[in-house]
Structures are given as structure tokens and as C-alpha cells.
Amino acid sequence: MMLRIKRVPTVVSNYQKDEGEDAARRGGGCGRNCLQKCCIPGAKLPLYTFKRAEEIPGDKCVLEHDDNQAPVAFLDSLLLGQWEDRMQRGLFRYDVTACETKVIPGRCGFMAQLNEGRHLKKRPTEFRVDKVLQPFDGNKFNFTKVGQEEVLFQFDASEDGEVHFFPDAPVDADSSPSVVAINVSPIEYGHVLLIPRILECLPQRIDRESFLLALYMAIEAGNPYFRLGYNSLGAFATINHLHFQAYYLAVPFPIEKAPTRKVTTLGDGVKISELFDYPVRGLVFEGGNTLQDLSNAVSDACIFLQDNNIPHNVLIADCGKRIFLLPQQALGEVSSELLDTQVNPAVWEISGHMVLKRKKDYEEASEENAWRLLAEVSLSEERFEEVKALIFEACSYTLSEKEDEHLTQGAGDDKPPLEGTGSINKGRNCNMVSGTQECLVLQ
């Protein structure tokens, strides 16, 4: 099965080339029309303000506005429409719509894309890969250095509880706006970046406020084929400036179809399940009494992982209703075979959308090979059980009487501690689902 989308000629961006290359001056500032102090004064960008909501979207996937009519169609007209405008203007490093894509035969339905140019034109990693938390370094590339023409719009909560769109709003440097910008090295149609509070220059680490913002973006898009993803440092993030990625692909991701089994429900109603019969072990969060409850449960789990130097990826699916949390092995623990493929098993690859750099790998793509590649970065069963137990402690979960009948006390007290877990209270025992997990390779 071949997937095809409209192809539009694209040339390399003039504004995210190597720092040593000259850019045409358009008057004022440094000449690059960037998002730093030199060019921000007087800058104006479109602004979309969303309505804060307590409830989690229902089956229709989008929260209804009071007048049932938003001022602009967020996904189709604003995000994708502006993305296509930037494509026509030649602000991408290569033409992603010309990349060949196929669904790999098999039960899982992994997708493979041949993108031979991405590893050559994508910005290289500029930091250590063995530390999840690293300080922001303004001397290295960060998103304040991009051209303002690469920003699609500002994205923030409405002050009056209504949705608004302002096509030409001043950029308030003091309030550090959150922005949505194109990814000039895209891997799919509509590939954008959500950069929370961009001028605060936050390092790549999850916090509660930023994660809730990402959920609101998924809700505003209102389409299950538009997902957001997050990669921590050490789990194939390449820029140490806080950002989420997102793109549109009208095919179910294999991870979204994978079976799950319920583990527990937190006191605030958030249900946590775990994946099984999938090459990467992970947790699935959904439900909750409020949207804030769901957001806090996931962000608290991520904060625990990053504070304990555990690389991880996050996929926000189903318009923010389901969130996949996927701890990874440290990069130094994966095989040389994986490294040779030049495939980075980041959030999109782990979700089942494989971006392959070599034609040989694309032509020989099989479900067995995809499964084996993804399994390389998965935690072992023992390690996953240990991490899972400590995540539940970090989330301060509570169990209902009904669940307690089906749960047995999990091991873990006699296992070696995780790096940096000295602050975790190990005196409490976590209740775990009995049984084992198997990583099955399909032949």
C-alpha cells in the first residue's frame, strides 16, 4: 500500500542555514528578522487564543465553542494553510512531500518513509546524549534564532474565555509568547513545532504548564490524525530548547492500535494502562476528572523520569484524550546495528512511523525488521517494572477496592536503585499487575 500526498517543489530555507551563511537584510535588527532582542521590537505575528476548558473532549474529539463557530478553522485554515504557504515560499530544507512512503505488510501496519536527505540537511545534535537534563546554552542553536517568517502564529489562552484570532498582533517580549513554527526539516505534511514561552529559553524538559499547553493544541486541532510528540534529551531530541513536534498523517499509528491492559486508576480518575504485544514497553494515560488532572499525571511522570535521567518519549493522541509515555534505554546501551541504520527511534518511529535514511533499508523494510529495531530502545521487562512502580509513586496513585482484588504486591525493593532516585520514598510498596510481558518478534 502506497501513501501519496500533493507534491509541491520546495527549496532550502534561506533562514535556517548554517550560522556562517549570510541572509538578506530586510531592514533593522541583525538582518535575519529573528526572535531575539535585536529584531523583536515592533514585531507582529498572528495570534490564536484558545478557551480554557475543564472537561476532556468527548467522542467528537473537539470541545465545542459557545457559538459553535471558531473565528478561524484552527487545523485546516490556520495551521495547515499557513504551513503550505511557507512551503510555497521555499522555507524548507527539502521537499518532504516527494518522499516515498509505504505501509509495511504485516499485522501492525508499520509505515516506512524514505527520506535520504534529512540526515544530511537536518541540524546536528549539539549536546551530550547521556544526560536528560542539561542547561540551556544560548550560544548553540535555539528557536529564537529562526526567522519570524517561519513562525505560523502565537498560541495562548484567551483572557476573556472566548476563542479569538488576531492576524497581526504585537509580540509581547515581556510575556514570552508561545509560538507554532514550521519544522524546516519535516518528516511529514504539516510538521510544526510548538515552542512554549519561547523567549524564556527553557531547556528541553517537561513542566506542568507547557504540557497542558500541548494538550490544548491537540484539542484545538480536533482531528485524531493530528498528533503531538515529545522527545527528551537522550531519547533523540536534537535541540535543547523546549519544544513539542506535531504533524498530520491520515493513517492510524500502530501504537494507537496496540492492545493495552489496565494497571490502575489514580485518585483523580486518570486511568493508566500498559502496552503489550508491542515492541516498545510503555504506559497509556487517559480519562481524569478534569483535563488538568490528566495533564498533571503525565507531566508529573515525565518530571520523575527526567529528574532520574531516564530518556523518554511522549505521544499525544486522540485529540489529547490518550497519552503514551515511553521510557527508553540510554543511547549507549543500544546495538551498533541500530546505529548503523541511522534511524533515530524517537517518538514518531516508536509510534510506528519509520523514517529511513537508506534506500536499502526502505526496500528491505519488513515488520520483523521494524519490530527488532524498535525493541532495541525499549526497557527490559525487569527495568520497566521498576520504573513503572516508581512512576506510580511519583503520581501518588490510589487504588479502588475493585482493582485491589486483582493486583498483587510488586517486587522492586530488592532491585538496584535507579540513578538519582535517592529522594524517592522506597519505604512504600507499589501494587503491580501480576504476570509478565513478552516482546514478540513476528516472523
Side-chain angles (χ1 to χ4, degrees):
M1 176 180 178
M2 302 296 293
L3 304 175
R4 299 201 180 277
I5 55 180
K6 181 175 65 175
R7 298 185 176 186
V8 179
T10 306
V11 297
V12 175
S13 165
N14 293 323
Y15 305 106
Q16 280 198 356
K17 291 183 179 181
D18 293 340
E19 299 300 327
E21 297 186 23
D22 293 330
R25 298 188 67 90
R26 292 181 304 283
C30 65
R32 295 178 63 87
N33 197 29
C34 67
L35 291 170
Q36 297 183 320
K37 292 180 179 180
C38 52
C39 298
I40 279 291
K44 293 184 177 181
L45 293 168
L47 169 64
Y48 183 97
T49 62
F50 59 87
K51 177 182 177 181
R52 294 185 183 274
E54 288 296 320
E55 71 270 25
I56 296 172
D59 294 337
K60 292 184 178 180
C61 213
V62 62
L63 293 174
E64 294 185 359
H65 303 299
D66 289 342
D67 57 2
N68 294 320
Q69 183 66 46
V72 62
F74 179 82
L75 179 60
D76 294 338
S77 297
L78 182 56
L79 194 150
L80 296 180
Q82 289 300 306
W83 189 90
E84 288 192 354
D85 171 77
R86 301 316 192 271
M87 175 184 286
Q88 296 286 358
R89 290 161 59 181
L91 298 184
F92 293 91
R93 291 183 179 274
Y94 51 81
D95 180 9
V96 69
T97 67
C99 295
E100 192 173 355
T101 301
K102 65 183 179 181
V103 175
I104 300 173
R107 176 174 55 89
C108 293
F110 292 119
M111 295 162 285
Q113 179 196 98
L114 177 61
N115 194 331
E116 295 179 286
R118 191 167 198 264
H119 71 292
L120 299 175
K121 298 179 180 179
K122 186 176 184 296
R123 190 174 300 279
T125 301
E126 297 182 301
F127 50 83
R128 296 174 58 178
V129 297
D130 60 342
K131 294 293 183 183
V132 174
L133 295 182
Q134 299 179 43
F136 180 88
D137 186 346
N139 293 320
K140 294 182 170 60
F141 175 79
N142 63 80
F143 297 116
T144 66
K145 297 182 180 182
V146 307
Q148 292 178 27
E149 53 284 309
E150 294 173 8
V151 177
L152 303 185
F153 52 90
Q154 304 174 71
F155 184 67
D156 207 345
S158 172
E159 294 181 356
D160 64 3
E162 299 295 334
V163 177
H164 296 286
F165 177 66
F166 305 94
D168 204 28
V171 176
D172 184 355
D174 293 334
S175 66
S176 189
S178 299
V179 303
V180 174
I182 60 172
N183 186 332
V184 296
S185 298
I187 65 172
E188 196 44 82
Y189 177 75
H191 195 170
V192 296
L193 305 170
L194 171 64
I195 310 164
R197 311 193 302 282
I198 184 171
L199 301 181
E200 291 185 23
C201 296
L202 303 169
Q204 185 72 342
R205 62 183 299 168
I206 291 287
D207 62 76
R208 281 187 167 190
E209 180 181 352
S210 298
F211 193 81
L212 182 60
L213 184 74
L215 282 190
Y216 273 118
M217 184 174 176
I219 292 170
E220 288 299 313
N223 190 311
Y225 294 132
F226 183 81
R227 298 105 167 163
L228 282 87
Y230 173 85
N231 302 311
S232 78
L233 302 188
F236 301 99
T238 56
I239 297 173
N240 188 22
H241 189 174
L242 180 59
H243 65 286
F244 297 83
Q245 301 185 48
Y247 62 75
Y248 178 86
L249 183 61
V251 179
F253 278 2
I255 198 171
E256 295 171 337
K257 301 182 292 182
T260 61
R261 51 190 170 212
K262 181 180 176 182
V263 178
T264 189
T265 299
L266 304 182
D268 53 16
V270 175
K271 183 179 78 172
I272 304 179
S273 305
E274 61 181 292
L275 295 167
F276 73 96
D277 197 17
Y278 195 73
V280 179
R281 295 180 174 88
L283 298 174
V284 185
F285 294 72
E286 55 191 318
N289 298 330
T290 67
L291 184 67
Q292 183 89 51
D293 291 334
L294 177 60
S295 180
N296 286 350
V298 180
S299 55
D300 288 351
C302 292
I303 290 168
F304 163 79
L305 292 175
Q306 62 198 20
D307 285 349
N308 288 279
N309 202 37
I310 302 172
H312 54 282
N313 311 95
V314 180
L315 176 71
I316 300 175
D318 293 342
C319 308
K321 292 187 294 185
R322 281 203 304 165
I323 304 165
F324 297 80
L325 177 58
L326 306 148
Q328 281 204 21
Q329 291 194 68
L331 186 57
E333 298 176 18
V334 301
S335 71
S336 59
E337 180 183 1
L338 170 61
L339 298 178
D340 289 343
T341 67
Q342 302 177 57
V343 175
N344 296 337
V347 61
W348 307 121
E349 287 78 7
I350 288 177
S351 299
H353 188 195
M354 316 292 294
V355 180
L356 304 175
K357 315 297 197 318
R358 302 185 304 190
K359 191 172 184 64
K360 172 179 178 291
D361 295 328
Y362 181 79
E363 293 174 344
E364 297 176 357
S366 66
E367 184 164 274
E368 179 181 356
N369 289 341
W371 190 289
R372 184 170 59 247
L373 184 149
L374 294 181
E376 280 282 338
V377 299
S378 179
L379 295 181
S380 66
E381 180 179 345
E382 180 181 16
R383 178 72 161 171
F384 179 69
E385 291 298 321
E386 180 184 46
V387 170
K388 182 174 68 175
L390 292 174
I391 285 177
F392 291 166
E393 273 199 69
C395 291
S396 302
Y397 78 98
T398 58
L399 302 174
S400 68
E401 293 182 1
K402 181 177 180 181
E403 289 170 325
D404 202 42
E405 295 174 356
H406 300 286
L407 300 177
T408 58
Q409 182 174 334
D413 293 340
D414 55 348
K415 295 178 182 178
L418 294 172
E419 178 179 347
T421 56
S423 61
I424 297 295
N425 178 9
K426 295 184 179 296
R428 290 170 46 198
N429 291 324
C430 287
N431 292 325
M432 309 294 291
V433 171
S434 60
T436 60
Q437 288 182 286
E438 296 181 353
C439 186
L440 304 176
V441 177
L442 304 180
Q443 302 296 329

